[in-house]
Amino acid sequence: MLDNLPRGTICIEDIEMGMTRHLRKQVTDRDIEMFAEVSTDRNPVHLDDTYAHDTIFEGRIAHGMLTAGLISAVIGEQLPGHGTIYLGQTLKFLGPVRPGDVVHAEVTVVDIDHAKRRVTLDCHCSVDGKKVVIGEAKVLAPSRKFD
């Protein structure tokens, strides 16, 4: 995984409009198999080459929620980071992610409510510069006041 900044915490007091963080990760067959095991989603479009070849995708694809999980990784590890609580997430899936693809997951601060410690983040994942997932997250950011 390649991140633009170290993991940790950015407290609500230090979050600014337009702040952005990202990571890149290559999705492997092992990632897909492990996600299928943990989630119990064993849809053959993710696991069976022969089956997947005859679908609209013409080959195996990663679980959409595996890809979306990379957004969660950026939020939980970088912005705001450790101590963040998810309040909600919208997602729209625009294209498939295939084994071997490198996914770029990015979040950007678009709204801050300092009094309530709430942060809204524009989120997307892309492969080769093409967005495959878009959405918006609302989170409760950590505060130095509660450390």
Side-chain angles (χ1 to χ4, degrees), residues 61-74:
I61 60 170
H63 301 75
M65 294 308 289
L66 187 159
T67 304
L70 298 177
I71 292 170
S72 176
V74 177

Side-chain angles (χ1 to χ4, degrees), residues 54-119:
D54 291 333
T55 69
I56 61 170
F57 301 110
E58 299 177 343
R60 286 189 312 114
I61 60 170
H63 301 75
M65 294 308 289
L66 187 159
T67 304
L70 298 177
I71 292 170
S72 176
V74 177
I75 292 170
E77 293 286 337
Q78 294 184 42
L79 180 62
H82 298 171
T84 300
I85 304 298
Y86 249 106
L87 300 174
Q89 174 82 57
T90 63
L91 296 168
K92 184 173 182 178
F93 298 94
L94 305 176
V97 172
R98 300 180 185 285
D101 282 350
V102 175
V103 176
H104 175 91
E106 182 171 298
V107 304
T108 303
V109 175
V110 295
D111 191 49
I112 308 167
D113 181 339
H114 286 94
K116 293 183 179 179
R117 297 178 28 216
R118 305 229 168 147
V119 179

Side-chain angles (χ1 to χ4, degrees), residues 11 56 59 88 145:
C11 292
I56 61 170
K145 294 178 185 178

